[in-house]
């Protein structure tokens, strides 16, 4: 912070860091929500991985990330990714003039530079520290609320979550809203399968912490900021009033955040600790708007019939496509009745699930038809 302020002071004039280094005007593409306490190296690692996953640049010798033919192409895993100059991330520390914050941080959170930047961006990426402190800071809570309930209710606004965690794909793990560029290389057949494989590396310890988050409990260095933000979230006209302890908007945004985390990570949560499984099963039914979920259990013997049944029972009614993979035939009985109860389910994809039989499917109220599948060891119901 001190280096930032010293570099951006010239005599009696001052500017933001981005004004000092940018070659020209920059249109924000992604808003970055983060806690200032995480190491800068971790912060940059997450954004580099996000840029790769979202295809905001190219690999050496290629015109763009979109040209990749297959996720398994070695170009996807090498480190010579070059972000595009059009991949502009808005970061408060560098975008705001630290010498004159009164113009950027106002009493009304919706009149701040943070809110205006989100209005211009295509989406928000939360860079979450390894212990999840990010979700306990009230400014980050406001940014989550604005992303999931304000902007997303008006337009196609994306919300991604990244944290430092070394894995098969890089030095950070991410949960992406929809399909990443990497995922989409799998096309209609394998896109969600690729997504599930990539996102399974998200650390379970952070999931356990985040699935218990209550954004209304967010703390602030300045008490007035906390008061103004919570009153803005509850849409009160008197921003100086004592914030309400309970409100439907608190419940809604907590449900949306927990649901986003849960719907992306079924196997890790279901096969983890009992506490994590319990938090997951409570969050999953509240995953508003989720239409597709993929879960590959890799023939894990810790998956039981009771766990699988609890999972299917907890699936949100908005679900239209479900993909289940590698469930051992010893997992019996299977939850046919619970699958029947998913009113909007249009397609069930079964990959290496020999225990499911069409005869047992049709013993319930619905009539299931098995369709031809171009994928090996896969049935489409």
């Amino acid at each position: 912070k001190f280096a930032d302020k010293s570099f951006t002071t010239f005599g009696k004039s001052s500017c933001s860091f981005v004004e000092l280094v940018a070659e020209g005007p920059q249109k924000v593409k992604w808003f970055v929500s983060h806690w200032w306490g995480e190491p800068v190296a971790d912060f940059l690692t997450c954004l580099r991985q996000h840029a790769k996953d979202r295809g905001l640049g190219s690999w050496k010798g290629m015109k763009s990330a979109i040209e990749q033919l297959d996720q398994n192409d070695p170009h996807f895993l090498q480190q010579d990714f070059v972000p595009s100059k059009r991949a502009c991330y808005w970061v408060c520390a560098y975008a705001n003039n630290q010498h004159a914050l009164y113009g950027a941080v106002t009493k009304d959170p919706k009149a701040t530079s943070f809110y205006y930047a989100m209005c211009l961006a295509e989406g928000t990426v939360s860079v979450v520290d390894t212990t999840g402190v990010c979700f306990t800071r009230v400014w980050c809570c406001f940014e989550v609320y604005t992303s999931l309930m304000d902007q997303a209710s008006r337009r196609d606004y994306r919300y991604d979550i990244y944290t430092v965690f070394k894995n098969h794909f890089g030095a950070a793990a991410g949960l992406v809203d929809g399909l990443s560029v990497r995922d989409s290389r799998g096309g209609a057949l394998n896109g969600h399968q690729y997504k599930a494989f990539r996102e399974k590396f998200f650390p379970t310890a952070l999931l356990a912490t985040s699935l218990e988050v209550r954004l209304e409990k967010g703390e602030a260095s300045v008490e007035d900021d906390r008061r103004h933000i919570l009153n803005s979230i509850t849409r009160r006209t008197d921003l100086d009033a004592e914030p309400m302890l309970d409100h439907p908007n608190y419940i809604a945004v907590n449900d949306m955040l927990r649901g986003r985390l849960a719907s992306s990570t079924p196997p890790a949560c279901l096969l983890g600790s009992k506490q994590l499984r319990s938090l997951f099963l409570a969050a999953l039914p509240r995953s508003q708007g989720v239409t597709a979920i993929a879960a590959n259990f890799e023939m894990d013997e810790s998956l039981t019939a009771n766990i699988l049944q609890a999972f299917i029972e907890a699936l949100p009614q908005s679900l239209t496509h479900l993909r289940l993979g590698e469930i051992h035939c010893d997992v019996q009985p299977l939850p046919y009745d619970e699958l029947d109860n998913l009113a909007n389910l249009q397609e069930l994809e079964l990959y290496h699930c020999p225990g499911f039989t069409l005869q047992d499917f049709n013993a319930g109220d619905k009539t299931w038809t098995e369709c031809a599948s171009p994928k090996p060891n896969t049935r489409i119901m």
Side-chain angles (χ1 to χ4, degrees), residues 177-199:
D177 192 348
L179 298 181
S180 72
V181 165
R182 286 181 167 181
D183 304 332
S184 63
R185 300 330 306 159
L189 290 178
N190 296 309
H192 287 279
Q193 180 180 328
Y194 283 9
K195 174 182 172 70
F197 180 70
R198 179 180 52 76
E199 295 185 338

mmCIF file with all atom_site columns, all heavy atoms in Angstrom, residues 177-199:
data_model
loop_
_atom_site.group_PDB
_atom_site.id
_atom_site.type_symbol
_atom_site.label_atom_id
_atom_site.label_alt_id
_atom_site.label_comp_id
_atom_site.label_asym_id
_atom_site.label_entity_id
_atom_site.label_seq_id
_atom_site.pdbx_PDB_ins_code
_atom_site.Cartn_x
_atom_site.Cartn_y
_atom_site.Cartn_z
_atom_site.occupancy
_atom_site.B_iso_or_equiv
_atom_site.pdbx_formal_charge
_atom_site.auth_seq_id
_atom_site.auth_comp_id
_atom_site.auth_asym_id
_atom_site.auth_atom_id
_atom_site.pdbx_PDB_model_num
ATOM 1   N N   . ASP A 1 177 ? -18.931 -20.109 -13.055 1.00 0.00 ? 177 ASP A N   1
ATOM 2   C CA  . ASP A 1 177 ? -20.358 -19.956 -13.362 1.00 0.00 ? 177 ASP A CA  1
ATOM 3   C C   . ASP A 1 177 ? -20.575 -20.411 -14.807 1.00 0.00 ? 177 ASP A C   1
ATOM 4   O O   . ASP A 1 177 ? -20.148 -19.748 -15.744 1.00 0.00 ? 177 ASP A O   1
ATOM 5   C CB  . ASP A 1 177 ? -20.746 -18.487 -13.187 1.00 0.00 ? 177 ASP A CB  1
ATOM 6   C CG  . ASP A 1 177 ? -22.251 -18.271 -13.189 1.00 0.00 ? 177 ASP A CG  1
ATOM 7   O OD1 . ASP A 1 177 ? -22.986 -19.197 -13.548 1.00 0.00 ? 177 ASP A OD1 1
ATOM 8   O OD2 . ASP A 1 177 ? -22.681 -17.156 -12.837 1.00 0.00 ? 177 ASP A OD2 1
ATOM 9   N N   . GLY A 1 178 ? -21.232 -21.564 -14.993 1.00 0.00 ? 178 GLY A N   1
ATOM 10  C CA  . GLY A 1 178 ? -21.375 -22.128 -16.328 1.00 0.00 ? 178 GLY A CA  1
ATOM 11  C C   . GLY A 1 178 ? -20.131 -22.909 -16.712 1.00 0.00 ? 178 GLY A C   1
ATOM 12  O O   . GLY A 1 178 ? -19.453 -23.491 -15.868 1.00 0.00 ? 178 GLY A O   1
ATOM 13  N N   . LEU A 1 179 ? -19.806 -22.921 -17.994 1.00 0.00 ? 179 LEU A N   1
ATOM 14  C CA  . LEU A 1 179 ? -18.631 -23.641 -18.487 1.00 0.00 ? 179 LEU A CA  1
ATOM 15  C C   . LEU A 1 179 ? -17.494 -22.671 -18.772 1.00 0.00 ? 179 LEU A C   1
ATOM 16  O O   . LEU A 1 179 ? -17.703 -21.597 -19.335 1.00 0.00 ? 179 LEU A O   1
ATOM 17  C CB  . LEU A 1 179 ? -18.969 -24.404 -19.772 1.00 0.00 ? 179 LEU A CB  1
ATOM 18  C CG  . LEU A 1 179 ? -20.034 -25.498 -19.684 1.00 0.00 ? 179 LEU A CG  1
ATOM 19  C CD1 . LEU A 1 179 ? -20.213 -26.155 -21.051 1.00 0.00 ? 179 LEU A CD1 1
ATOM 20  C CD2 . LEU A 1 179 ? -19.685 -26.537 -18.642 1.00 0.00 ? 179 LEU A CD2 1
ATOM 21  N N   . SER A 1 180 ? -16.282 -23.056 -18.388 1.00 0.00 ? 180 SER A N   1
ATOM 22  C CA  . SER A 1 180 ? -15.109 -22.285 -18.770 1.00 0.00 ? 180 SER A CA  1
ATOM 23  C C   . SER A 1 180 ? -14.753 -22.613 -20.222 1.00 0.00 ? 180 SER A C   1
ATOM 24  O O   . SER A 1 180 ? -15.324 -23.521 -20.833 1.00 0.00 ? 180 SER A O   1
ATOM 25  C CB  . SER A 1 180 ? -13.933 -22.637 -17.855 1.00 0.00 ? 180 SER A CB  1
ATOM 26  O OG  . SER A 1 180 ? -13.461 -23.944 -18.156 1.00 0.00 ? 180 SER A OG  1
ATOM 27  N N   . VAL A 1 181 ? -13.799 -21.869 -20.778 1.00 0.00 ? 181 VAL A N   1
ATOM 28  C CA  . VAL A 1 181 ? -13.325 -22.172 -22.134 1.00 0.00 ? 181 VAL A CA  1
ATOM 29  C C   . VAL A 1 181 ? -12.766 -23.590 -22.179 1.00 0.00 ? 181 VAL A C   1
ATOM 30  O O   . VAL A 1 181 ? -12.994 -24.336 -23.127 1.00 0.00 ? 181 VAL A O   1
ATOM 31  C CB  . VAL A 1 181 ? -12.275 -21.143 -22.580 1.00 0.00 ? 181 VAL A CB  1
ATOM 32  C CG1 . VAL A 1 181 ? -11.504 -21.643 -23.799 1.00 0.00 ? 181 VAL A CG1 1
ATOM 33  C CG2 . VAL A 1 181 ? -12.952 -19.824 -22.922 1.00 0.00 ? 181 VAL A CG2 1
ATOM 34  N N   . ARG A 1 182 ? -12.060 -23.970 -21.140 1.00 0.00 ? 182 ARG A N   1
ATOM 35  C CA  . ARG A 1 182 ? -11.522 -25.328 -21.074 1.00 0.00 ? 182 ARG A CA  1
ATOM 36  C C   . ARG A 1 182 ? -12.657 -26.353 -21.103 1.00 0.00 ? 182 ARG A C   1
ATOM 37  O O   . ARG A 1 182 ? -12.610 -27.343 -21.826 1.00 0.00 ? 182 ARG A O   1
ATOM 38  C CB  . ARG A 1 182 ? -10.706 -25.508 -19.797 1.00 0.00 ? 182 ARG A CB  1
ATOM 39  C CG  . ARG A 1 182 ? -9.359  -24.819 -19.836 1.00 0.00 ? 182 ARG A CG  1
ATOM 40  C CD  . ARG A 1 182 ? -8.614  -25.065 -18.560 1.00 0.00 ? 182 ARG A CD  1
ATOM 41  N NE  . ARG A 1 182 ? -7.213  -24.690 -18.682 1.00 0.00 ? 182 ARG A NE  1
ATOM 42  C CZ  . ARG A 1 182 ? -6.319  -24.821 -17.710 1.00 0.00 ? 182 ARG A CZ  1
ATOM 43  N NH1 . ARG A 1 182 ? -6.692  -25.330 -16.559 1.00 0.00 ? 182 ARG A NH1 1
ATOM 44  N NH2 . ARG A 1 182 ? -5.067  -24.452 -17.895 1.00 0.00 ? 182 ARG A NH2 1
ATOM 45  N N   . ASP A 1 183 ? -13.671 -26.114 -20.287 1.00 0.00 ? 183 ASP A N   1
ATOM 46  C CA  . ASP A 1 183 ? -14.793 -27.049 -20.231 1.00 0.00 ? 183 ASP A CA  1
ATOM 47  C C   . ASP A 1 183 ? -15.496 -27.145 -21.581 1.00 0.00 ? 183 ASP A C   1
ATOM 48  O O   . ASP A 1 183 ? -15.863 -28.236 -22.028 1.00 0.00 ? 183 ASP A O   1
ATOM 49  C CB  . ASP A 1 183 ? -15.817 -26.596 -19.178 1.00 0.00 ? 183 ASP A CB  1
ATOM 50  C CG  . ASP A 1 183 ? -15.211 -26.414 -17.798 1.00 0.00 ? 183 ASP A CG  1
ATOM 51  O OD1 . ASP A 1 183 ? -14.216 -27.097 -17.500 1.00 0.00 ? 183 ASP A OD1 1
ATOM 52  O OD2 . ASP A 1 183 ? -15.733 -25.585 -17.032 1.00 0.00 ? 183 ASP A OD2 1
ATOM 53  N N   . SER A 1 184 ? -15.688 -26.013 -22.220 1.00 0.00 ? 184 SER A N   1
ATOM 54  C CA  . SER A 1 184 ? -16.475 -25.975 -23.457 1.00 0.00 ? 184 SER A CA  1
ATOM 55  C C   . SER A 1 184 ? -15.793 -26.700 -24.603 1.00 0.00 ? 184 SER A C   1
ATOM 56  O O   . SER A 1 184 ? -16.437 -27.011 -25.607 1.00 0.00 ? 184 SER A O   1
ATOM 57  C CB  . SER A 1 184 ? -16.772 -24.531 -23.859 1.00 0.00 ? 184 SER A CB  1
ATOM 58  O OG  . SER A 1 184 ? -15.580 -23.823 -24.144 1.00 0.00 ? 184 SER A OG  1
ATOM 59  N N   . ARG A 1 185 ? -14.494 -27.000 -24.452 1.00 0.00 ? 185 ARG A N   1
ATOM 60  C CA  . ARG A 1 185 ? -13.825 -27.779 -25.503 1.00 0.00 ? 185 ARG A CA  1
ATOM 61  C C   . ARG A 1 185 ? -14.429 -29.179 -25.581 1.00 0.00 ? 185 ARG A C   1
ATOM 62  O O   . ARG A 1 185 ? -14.283 -29.875 -26.579 1.00 0.00 ? 185 ARG A O   1
ATOM 63  C CB  . ARG A 1 185 ? -12.319 -27.905 -25.239 1.00 0.00 ? 185 ARG A CB  1
ATOM 64  C CG  . ARG A 1 185 ? -11.512 -26.618 -25.171 1.00 0.00 ? 185 ARG A CG  1
ATOM 65  C CD  . ARG A 1 185 ? -11.998 -25.461 -25.998 1.00 0.00 ? 185 ARG A CD  1
ATOM 66  N NE  . ARG A 1 185 ? -12.193 -25.729 -27.400 1.00 0.00 ? 185 ARG A NE  1
ATOM 67  C CZ  . ARG A 1 185 ? -12.969 -25.009 -28.185 1.00 0.00 ? 185 ARG A CZ  1
ATOM 68  N NH1 . ARG A 1 185 ? -13.634 -23.994 -27.706 1.00 0.00 ? 185 ARG A NH1 1
ATOM 69  N NH2 . ARG A 1 185 ? -13.097 -25.305 -29.447 1.00 0.00 ? 185 ARG A NH2 1
ATOM 70  N N   . GLY A 1 186 ? -15.113 -29.603 -24.519 1.00 0.00 ? 186 GLY A N   1
ATOM 71  C CA  . GLY A 1 186 ? -15.761 -30.916 -24.542 1.00 0.00 ? 186 GLY A CA  1
ATOM 72  C C   . GLY A 1 186 ? -17.061 -30.922 -25.309 1.00 0.00 ? 186 GLY A C   1
ATOM 73  O O   . GLY A 1 186 ? -17.640 -31.988 -25.547 1.00 0.00 ? 186 GLY A O   1
ATOM 74  N N   . GLY A 1 187 ? -17.539 -29.731 -25.694 1.00 0.00 ? 187 GLY A N   1
ATOM 75  C CA  . GLY A 1 187 ? -18.768 -29.638 -26.464 1.00 0.00 ? 187 GLY A CA  1
ATOM 76  C C   . GLY A 1 187 ? -19.982 -30.081 -25.668 1.00 0.00 ? 187 GLY A C   1
ATOM 77  O O   . GLY A 1 187 ? -19.956 -30.234 -24.444 1.00 0.00 ? 187 GLY A O   1
ATOM 78  N N   . ALA A 1 188 ? -21.068 -30.326 -26.378 1.00 0.00 ? 188 ALA A N   1
ATOM 79  C CA  . ALA A 1 188 ? -22.320 -30.710 -25.731 1.00 0.00 ? 188 ALA A CA  1
ATOM 80  C C   . ALA A 1 188 ? -22.207 -32.053 -25.026 1.00 0.00 ? 188 ALA A C   1
ATOM 81  O O   . ALA A 1 188 ? -22.893 -32.313 -24.037 1.00 0.00 ? 188 ALA A O   1
ATOM 82  C CB  . ALA A 1 188 ? -23.443 -30.748 -26.767 1.00 0.00 ? 188 ALA A CB  1
ATOM 83  N N   . LEU A 1 189 ? -21.333 -32.916 -25.527 1.00 0.00 ? 189 LEU A N   1
ATOM 84  C CA  . LEU A 1 189 ? -21.226 -34.263 -24.954 1.00 0.00 ? 189 LEU A CA  1
ATOM 85  C C   . LEU A 1 189 ? -20.435 -34.290 -23.654 1.00 0.00 ? 189 LEU A C   1
ATOM 86  O O   . LEU A 1 189 ? -20.831 -34.932 -22.680 1.00 0.00 ? 189 LEU A O   1
ATOM 87  C CB  . LEU A 1 189 ? -20.564 -35.209 -25.964 1.00 0.00 ? 189 LEU A CB  1
ATOM 88  C CG  . LEU A 1 189 ? -21.387 -35.582 -27.195 1.00 0.00 ? 189 LEU A CG  1
ATOM 89  C CD1 . LEU A 1 189 ? -20.565 -36.487 -28.101 1.00 0.00 ? 189 LEU A CD1 1
ATOM 90  C CD2 . LEU A 1 189 ? -22.682 -36.270 -26.785 1.00 0.00 ? 189 LEU A CD2 1
ATOM 91  N N   . ASN A 1 190 ? -19.304 -33.572 -23.624 1.00 0.00 ? 190 ASN A N   1
ATOM 92  C CA  . ASN A 1 190 ? -18.386 -33.731 -22.492 1.00 0.00 ? 190 ASN A CA  1
ATOM 93  C C   . ASN A 1 190 ? -18.138 -32.471 -21.679 1.00 0.00 ? 190 ASN A C   1
ATOM 94  O O   . ASN A 1 190 ? -17.371 -32.499 -20.720 1.00 0.00 ? 190 ASN A O   1
ATOM 95  C CB  . ASN A 1 190 ? -17.031 -34.248 -23.009 1.00 0.00 ? 190 ASN A CB  1
ATOM 96  C CG  . ASN A 1 190 ? -17.133 -35.624 -23.620 1.00 0.00 ? 190 ASN A CG  1
ATOM 97  O OD1 . ASN A 1 190 ? -17.674 -36.534 -23.008 1.00 0.00 ? 190 ASN A OD1 1
ATOM 98  N ND2 . ASN A 1 190 ? -16.623 -35.778 -24.835 1.00 0.00 ? 190 ASN A ND2 1
ATOM 99  N N   . GLY A 1 191 ? -18.773 -31.360 -22.035 1.00 0.00 ? 191 GLY A N   1
ATOM 100 C CA  . GLY A 1 191 ? -18.500 -30.095 -21.364 1.00 0.00 ? 191 GLY A CA  1
ATOM 101 C C   . GLY A 1 191 ? -18.699 -30.149 -19.860 1.00 0.00 ? 191 GLY A C   1
ATOM 102 O O   . GLY A 1 191 ? -17.824 -29.744 -19.090 1.00 0.00 ? 191 GLY A O   1
ATOM 103 N N   . HIS A 1 192 ? -19.841 -30.671 -19.424 1.00 0.00 ? 192 HIS A N   1
ATOM 104 C CA  . HIS A 1 192 ? -20.114 -30.723 -17.984 1.00 0.00 ? 192 HIS A CA  1
ATOM 105 C C   . HIS A 1 192 ? -19.259 -31.766 -17.274 1.00 0.00 ? 192 HIS A C   1
ATOM 106 O O   . HIS A 1 192 ? -18.945 -31.626 -16.097 1.00 0.00 ? 192 HIS A O   1
ATOM 107 C CB  . HIS A 1 192 ? -21.598 -30.975 -17.742 1.00 0.00 ? 192 HIS A CB  1
ATOM 108 C CG  . HIS A 1 192 ? -22.463 -29.789 -18.047 1.00 0.00 ? 192 HIS A CG  1
ATOM 109 N ND1 . HIS A 1 192 ? -22.619 -28.747 -17.157 1.00 0.00 ? 192 HIS A ND1 1
ATOM 110 C CD2 . HIS A 1 192 ? -23.181 -29.446 -19.147 1.00 0.00 ? 192 HIS A CD2 1
ATOM 111 C CE1 . HIS A 1 192 ? -23.413 -27.835 -17.683 1.00 0.00 ? 192 HIS A CE1 1
ATOM 112 N NE2 . HIS A 1 192 ? -23.765 -28.228 -18.893 1.00 0.00 ? 192 HIS A NE2 1
ATOM 113 N N   . GLN A 1 193 ? -18.871 -32.791 -18.009 1.00 0.00 ? 193 GLN A N   1
ATOM 114 C CA  . GLN A 1 193 ? -17.964 -33.792 -17.440 1.00 0.00 ? 193 GLN A CA  1
ATOM 115 C C   . GLN A 1 193 ? -16.594 -33.165 -17.190 1.00 0.00 ? 193 GLN A C   1
ATOM 116 O O   . GLN A 1 193 ? -15.968 -33.391 -16.147 1.00 0.00 ? 193 GLN A O   1
ATOM 117 C CB  . GLN A 1 193 ? -17.836 -34.977 -18.398 1.00 0.00 ? 193 GLN A CB  1
ATOM 118 C CG  . GLN A 1 193 ? -16.914 -36.087 -17.901 1.00 0.00 ? 193 GLN A CG  1
ATOM 119 C CD  . GLN A 1 193 ? -16.835 -37.233 -18.893 1.00 0.00 ? 193 GLN A CD  1
ATOM 120 O OE1 . GLN A 1 193 ? -17.791 -37.533 -19.598 1.00 0.00 ? 193 GLN A OE1 1
ATOM 121 N NE2 . GLN A 1 193 ? -15.680 -37.860 -18.953 1.00 0.00 ? 193 GLN A NE2 1
ATOM 122 N N   . TYR A 1 194 ? -16.118 -32.370 -18.141 1.00 0.00 ? 194 TYR A N   1
ATOM 123 C CA  . TYR A 1 194 ? -14.846 -31.660 -17.975 1.00 0.00 ? 194 TYR A CA  1
ATOM 124 C C   . TYR A 1 194 ? -14.921 -30.701 -16.790 1.00 0.00 ? 194 TYR A C   1
ATOM 125 O O   . TYR A 1 194 ? -13.985 -30.577 -16.004 1.00 0.00 ? 194 TYR A O   1
ATOM 126 C CB  . TYR A 1 194 ? -14.515 -30.870 -19.242 1.00 0.00 ? 194 TYR A CB  1
ATOM 127 C CG  . TYR A 1 194 ? -13.978 -31.691 -20.400 1.00 0.00 ? 194 TYR A CG  1
ATOM 128 C CD1 . TYR A 1 194 ? -13.987 -33.080 -20.368 1.00 0.00 ? 194 TYR A CD1 1
ATOM 129 C CD2 . TYR A 1 194 ? -13.469 -31.072 -21.528 1.00 0.00 ? 194 TYR A CD2 1
ATOM 130 C CE1 . TYR A 1 194 ? -13.503 -33.828 -21.438 1.00 0.00 ? 194 TYR A CE1 1
ATOM 131 C CE2 . TYR A 1 194 ? -12.976 -31.805 -22.604 1.00 0.00 ? 194 TYR A CE2 1
ATOM 132 C CZ  . TYR A 1 194 ? -12.994 -33.190 -22.542 1.00 0.00 ? 194 TYR A CZ  1
ATOM 133 O OH  . TYR A 1 194 ? -12.506 -33.925 -23.594 1.00 0.00 ? 194 TYR A OH  1
ATOM 134 N N   . LYS A 1 195 ? -16.051 -29.994 -16.688 1.00 0.00 ? 195 LYS A N   1
ATOM 135 C CA  . LYS A 1 195 ? -16.236 -29.039 -15.598 1.00 0.00 ? 195 LYS A CA  1
ATOM 136 C C   . LYS A 1 195 ? -16.167 -29.738 -14.237 1.00 0.00 ? 195 LYS A C   1
ATOM 137 O O   . LYS A 1 195 ? -15.485 -29.270 -13.316 1.00 0.00 ? 195 LYS A O   1
ATOM 138 C CB  . LYS A 1 195 ? -17.581 -28.330 -15.759 1.00 0.00 ? 195 LYS A CB  1
ATOM 139 C CG  . LYS A 1 195 ? -17.981 -27.408 -14.602 1.00 0.00 ? 195 LYS A CG  1
ATOM 140 C CD  . LYS A 1 195 ? -19.361 -26.804 -14.859 1.00 0.00 ? 195 LYS A CD  1
ATOM 141 C CE  . LYS A 1 195 ? -19.888 -26.050 -13.652 1.00 0.00 ? 195 LYS A CE  1
ATOM 142 N NZ  . LYS A 1 195 ? -19.144 -24.804 -13.410 1.00 0.00 ? 195 LYS A NZ  1
ATOM 143 N N   . ALA A 1 196 ? -16.872 -30.859 -14.115 1.00 0.00 ? 196 ALA A N   1
ATOM 144 C CA  . ALA A 1 196 ? -16.893 -31.593 -12.848 1.00 0.00 ? 196 ALA A CA  1
ATOM 145 C C   . ALA A 1 196 ? -15.491 -32.075 -12.474 1.00 0.00 ? 196 ALA A C   1
ATOM 146 O O   . ALA A 1 196 ? -15.095 -32.023 -11.303 1.00 0.00 ? 196 ALA A O   1
ATOM 147 C CB  . ALA A 1 196 ? -17.853 -32.777 -12.944 1.00 0.00 ? 196 ALA A CB  1
ATOM 148 N N   . PHE A 1 197 ? -14.718 -32.525 -13.467 1.00 0.00 ? 197 PHE A N   1
ATOM 149 C CA  . PHE A 1 197 ? -13.367 -32.997 -13.194 1.00 0.00 ? 197 PHE A CA  1
ATOM 150 C C   . PHE A 1 197 ? -12.472 -31.850 -12.741 1.00 0.00 ? 197 PHE A C   1
ATOM 151 O O   . PHE A 1 197 ? -11.695 -31.972 -11.799 1.00 0.00 ? 197 PHE A O   1
ATOM 152 C CB  . PHE A 1 197 ? -12.778 -33.666 -14.438 1.00 0.00 ? 197 PHE A CB  1
ATOM 153 C CG  . PHE A 1 197 ? -11.380 -34.188 -14.233 1.00 0.00 ? 197 PHE A CG  1
ATOM 154 C CD1 . PHE A 1 197 ? -11.148 -35.291 -13.422 1.00 0.00 ? 197 PHE A CD1 1
ATOM 155 C CD2 . PHE A 1 197 ? -10.297 -33.569 -14.835 1.00 0.00 ? 197 PHE A CD2 1
ATOM 156 C CE1 . PHE A 1 197 ? -9.857  -35.764 -13.227 1.00 0.00 ? 197 PHE A CE1 1
ATOM 157 C CE2 . PHE A 1 197 ? -9.004  -34.030 -14.640 1.00 0.00 ? 197 PHE A CE2 1
ATOM 158 C CZ  . PHE A 1 197 ? -8.787  -35.140 -13.835 1.00 0.00 ? 197 PHE A CZ  1
ATOM 159 N N   . ARG A 1 198 ? -12.596 -30.700 -13.395 1.00 0.00 ? 198 ARG A N   1
ATOM 160 C CA  . ARG A 1 198 ? -11.761 -29.544 -13.030 1.00 0.00 ? 198 ARG A CA  1
ATOM 161 C C   . ARG A 1 198 ? -12.106 -29.020 -11.640 1.00 0.00 ? 198 ARG A C   1
ATOM 162 O O   . ARG A 1 198 ? -11.222 -28.680 -10.849 1.00 0.00 ? 198 ARG A O   1
ATOM 163 C CB  . ARG A 1 198 ? -11.935 -28.437 -14.081 1.00 0.00 ? 198 ARG A CB  1
ATOM 164 C CG  . ARG A 1 198 ? -11.141 -27.173 -13.802 1.00 0.00 ? 198 ARG A CG  1
ATOM 165 C CD  . ARG A 1 198 ? -11.373 -26.124 -14.881 1.00 0.00 ? 198 ARG A CD  1
ATOM 166 N NE  . ARG A 1 198 ? -12.791 -25.869 -15.100 1.00 0.00 ? 198 ARG A NE  1
ATOM 167 C CZ  . ARG A 1 198 ? -13.550 -25.151 -14.280 1.00 0.00 ? 198 ARG A CZ  1
ATOM 168 N NH1 . ARG A 1 198 ? -13.037 -24.623 -13.192 1.00 0.00 ? 198 ARG A NH1 1
ATOM 169 N NH2 . ARG A 1 198 ? -14.832 -24.958 -14.547 1.00 0.00 ? 198 ARG A NH2 1
ATOM 170 N N   . GLU A 1 199 ? -13.395 -28.968 -11.326 1.00 0.00 ? 199 GLU A N   1
ATOM 171 C CA  . GLU A 1 199 ? -13.814 -28.343 -10.072 1.00 0.00 ? 199 GLU A CA  1
ATOM 172 C C   . GLU A 1 199 ? -13.712 -29.263 -8.855  1.00 0.00 ? 199 GLU A C   1
ATOM 173 O O   . GLU A 1 199 ? -13.825 -28.804 -7.718  1.00 0.00 ? 199 GLU A O   1
ATOM 174 C CB  . GLU A 1 199 ? -15.242 -27.813 -10.213 1.00 0.00 ? 199 GLU A CB  1
ATOM 175 C CG  . GLU A 1 199 ? -15.337 -26.678 -11.230 1.00 0.00 ? 199 GLU A CG  1
ATOM 176 C CD  . GLU A 1 199 ? -16.695 -26.038 -11.315 1.00 0.00 ? 199 GLU A CD  1
ATOM 177 O OE1 . GLU A 1 199 ? -17.692 -26.674 -10.920 1.00 0.00 ? 199 GLU A OE1 1
ATOM 178 O OE2 . GLU A 1 199 ? -16.773 -24.885 -11.795 1.00 0.00 ? 199 GLU A OE2 1
#
